[in-house]
Each structure stands twice: as structure tokens, then as C-alpha cells.
Amino acid sequence: MATIKDVARLAGVGLGTASRVVSGKGSVSPATLEKVKKAIEELDFRPSHAARSLLSGSTRMIGVYIPLLKGTFYMPILQSIDNELRAEGLHMVVAFGVGAGNFREQAIDGINFLIERGCDGLIVMSNALEDADIEVLGNKKTNLVVLNHRYDCIADQCFTADHNLGGRMAAQALLKHKHKKIAVIAGPSSAPDNVDRIGGFMHELELGGIDVSKMWVAESNFAPDGGWASAQELVESDYDFTAVFCANDEMAIGTLSYFQHAGIDVPGEVSVVGYDDTETAAFSAPRLSSVHIAWREMTMSGLSFLLNRCYDLERPVQRKFPVSMTWRNSVEKAPRASFRKR
């Protein structure tokens, strides 16, 4: 395999000159440029990624950390990042939570893995870190962007949505359809965005005259199996309900599946509202009404901010992301009597 030294020798130029042509940095005369290009073509010279990195001072790689490499939530985010990076001639390196450590330790390990691979910048989706974990990165934290969480030490580099507003919209959707007997399948209490959306949901119900102190609430895991298990627990309880709010779409899909298994008609007997408005919400049975969070816009703005900082680009960046309700087929007006009393 030809090397940069072979190119320089064939072109009759110094190694530094050949390197400037390959890296695209520095000036050379048109005649010299033509000689080096001819030598590259004749030798079929293809610099390795490591060689390009040494020549340019950049690996052209962006690292992405996510807690889980599964499910319907993170995959579209990774796909959209990869598509944008490839369009810019860049590449994505992914790390995710593994090992026996807690979520914080896994995130720290994943970030260190990406830094050790020489990534020019990092996109991190984790609420498990502490500000001190970011501060210890030193100048590496300059090229780090966080999605769906805010850390005070890099607040300008964080991109998130108003999840309190999202929770309030979910409550408004059910109140609009006259539901008063409502159950909640929440995500982990350790997740700040879950706390925000559940807090907004409960506050809006209180404003609507609902006594939330008597409401049935389950803490689950943001996964379909958690939705199924919580829905089963709800049906087997004595709680009387006509609607369920699930704190994300994956739990809502599990909930819909269990209700179908149990012979409960959605939305005729029970209405279900999801959260996130992921792609699967449009293809569930029935199609899921869900709070729309602008995940793609949030991701693209965070990515653009990072690319601008790493590569001196001028991509547009927005800071506010709309929250809305996507209506499909899983919500109807509350029945006069719940399915338990029919």
C-alpha cells in the first residue's frame, strides 16, 4: 500500500508539501498541486483514517452516548444524527450504558470511551451525570452537547423541551374529553424529565378540580414490558378508571397490548394518552394519541451547535421547541360508567 512518502518521492516534492496537498491545508503552487495529484492517482494512494487525522488535526468523528441501545426511542435519534453527519462527510461513534455500574458510572465510562477514540465532539443523552462529572472533563467539555437535560455548568450547550408543559397538555387532552377517573403509569422517579411531565400533568388536573391524592399511580421503566405489567396491576386493582396517561409511548404500547389481551376496548371503555409521539404511536392498535415532543428538531439543533463549534460551520440553531398534542384514535369522551360497572 502506497504511503505519503511514496507520493512525495514520485511527485518530486518534499513530504511537507505532499502532506499539505492531502490535508487541504496550506498553499502550494498550481504546478506542484498537479504533480502531487498525478502521483496520488498513479499510486492509488488512499490515506488511512489515522493518517488523515494526523494531517488535519481532526478525526472527523462525532461521539454519541445513549443509555440504552434498544427500543423505538433512541434508534430514530441515532439515525437522524448519522444521516446529518454523513452529509457533512463526518462519522458517528456510539457508546451506550453497559456494565455493572449505576447509570452515572455507565455514562462516565461511555463518555471516556468516546474521548479516548479521539472524537472531535460529543452528544450526550443522560440525566445521571452531575455537574462535577462534566467539569472534570476540562477543555473537552467545550465540544460537548447534552440533549434532554440541563447542566448548569454548560447550560448554553444543553437542548431540551418543556416537559412540564407536555404533562399539562396530556392532562388537558383528558379533561377536554370529560375524564375524571384517571390512572397514571409514570417513568422512573430518578428521571428529571419524567418528574417534570408528571408534575405538570398532576398540576393541570388539580386546576381542573381532580383530587390527585387519590389517583392510582405506578412507577415503571419507560419500556413496553413495564406498560404491560402496570396495566395488568391496574386492572387487577380495585381502582375505578376511564383513562390512563402513560409517561412515554413505549409504556403506552405495552398498556394498549395488555388492554387488548384483557378484552378492554380502547377507546370505547378506556382512553389512553402517550408521550413523545414516536414513530410507533402512528402504527399501534388503536393508533395512539400522544404528546408531541420535537425530538428531531432538538437533536438537529444540538448537533448543529456542536458542528458549528467543532468545524466552524454556520448551521442554524434553535433553542425553543414546540410541544403539542397529536390526536389519533386512542382517546374518546369518558363513558358514563367505567368498564368495571357495566
Side-chain angles (χ1 to χ4, degrees):
M1 183 178 294
T3 67
I4 189 66
K5 290 183 179 180
D6 297 324
V7 172
R9 188 180 301 113
L10 182 61
V13 301
L15 181 60
T17 299
S19 297
R20 286 197 297 275
V21 173
V22 173
S23 68
K25 293 186 175 181
S27 60
V28 295
S29 68
T32 299
L33 177 64
E34 187 60 33
K35 287 195 296 183
V36 174
K37 284 185 174 180
K38 185 177 180 180
I40 289 173
E41 183 178 351
E42 185 175 332
L43 294 170
D44 193 25
F45 172 68
R46 297 182 182 182
S48 67
H49 184 267
R52 285 184 182 274
S53 300
L54 288 172
L55 291 169
S56 67
S58 167
T59 62
R60 308 289 289 174
M61 297 190 305
I62 295 296
V64 182
Y65 175 80
I66 58 173
L68 298 169
L69 192 59
K70 67 176 184 178
T72 60
F73 178 73
Y74 290 110
M75 293 303 102
I77 291 175
L78 290 178
Q79 186 175 34
S80 62
I81 292 174
D82 189 52
N83 288 342
E84 288 296 313
L85 290 179
R86 287 179 178 272
E88 293 285 357
L90 303 168
H91 296 280
M92 178 175 71
V93 181
V94 178
F96 57 97
V98 295
N102 59 34
F103 291 140
R104 179 189 177 195
E105 292 167 338
Q106 290 178 3
I108 292 172
D109 287 345
I111 290 170
N112 286 335
F113 170 86
L114 296 170
I115 291 174
E116 290 167 2
R117 295 303 176 281
C119 294
D120 295 329
L122 304 181
I123 295 176
V124 174
M125 294 194 74
S126 174
N127 54 42
L129 296 168
E130 297 179 2
D131 280 75
D133 300 325
I134 295 173
E135 290 286 8
V136 79
L137 297 175
N139 61 2
K140 297 291 184 182
K141 72 176 185 290
T142 302
N143 289 351
L144 183 148
V145 160
V146 175
L147 301 181
N148 199 40
H149 192 66
R150 183 182 185 276
Y151 293 100
D152 291 337
C153 64
I154 53 167
D156 189 53
Q157 296 162 229
C158 299
F159 295 78
T160 189
D162 187 344
H163 291 293
N164 184 274
L165 174 60
R168 283 157 35 208
M169 285 190 171
Q172 291 167 6
L174 295 178
L175 291 172
K176 177 181 179 180
H177 287 80
K178 309 302 182 183
H179 288 278
K180 296 182 179 180
K181 301 174 181 179
I182 301 169
V184 175
I185 300 177
S189 59
S190 60
D193 59 332
N194 172 74
V195 173
D196 286 346
R197 69 191 68 170
I198 297 300
F201 183 80
M202 295 299 193
H203 180 67
E204 194 68 24
L205 290 185
E206 286 180 322
L207 294 178
I210 306 296
D211 182 1
V212 299
S213 67
K214 299 179 180 179
M215 187 175 297
W216 189 94
V217 179
E219 179 177 334
S220 194
N221 63 354
F222 276 156
D225 64 326
W228 174 289
S230 296
Q232 181 177 12
E233 181 184 346
L234 172 60
V235 171
E236 292 175 354
S237 74
D238 293 327
Y239 188 74
D240 195 24
F241 66 99
T242 63
V244 180
F245 170 51
C246 297
N248 79 340
D249 286 348
E250 291 205 5
M251 293 192 300
I253 296 300
T255 297
L256 289 175
S257 183
Y258 180 77
F259 284 164
Q260 183 183 50
H261 170 77
I264 298 171
D265 178 41
V266 177
E269 295 179 299
V270 174
S271 290
V272 177
V273 170
Y275 192 98
D276 286 330
D277 195 22
T278 54
E279 293 179 2
T280 54
F283 301 101
S284 61
R287 300 173 72 234
L288 180 66
S289 295
S290 182
V291 176
H292 178 79
I293 302 297
W295 292 110
R296 176 172 174 78
E297 292 84 351
M298 184 195 308
T299 301
M300 289 300 97
S301 287
L303 177 61
S304 292
F305 178 92
L306 184 62
L307 297 185
N308 292 347
R309 180 161 287 191
C310 291
Y311 307 113
D312 295 323
L313 304 182
E314 296 183 353
R315 294 168 61 104
V317 176
Q318 67 183 86
R319 290 288 180 175
K320 294 185 177 181
F321 308 102
V323 180
S324 59
M325 188 69 199
T326 299
W327 293 102
R328 295 190 179 93
N329 309 114
S330 64
V331 177
E332 279 189 3
K333 185 177 179 180
R336 292 185 177 181
S338 74
F339 73 94
R340 294 190 186 282
K341 296 181 179 180
R342 294 184 181 182

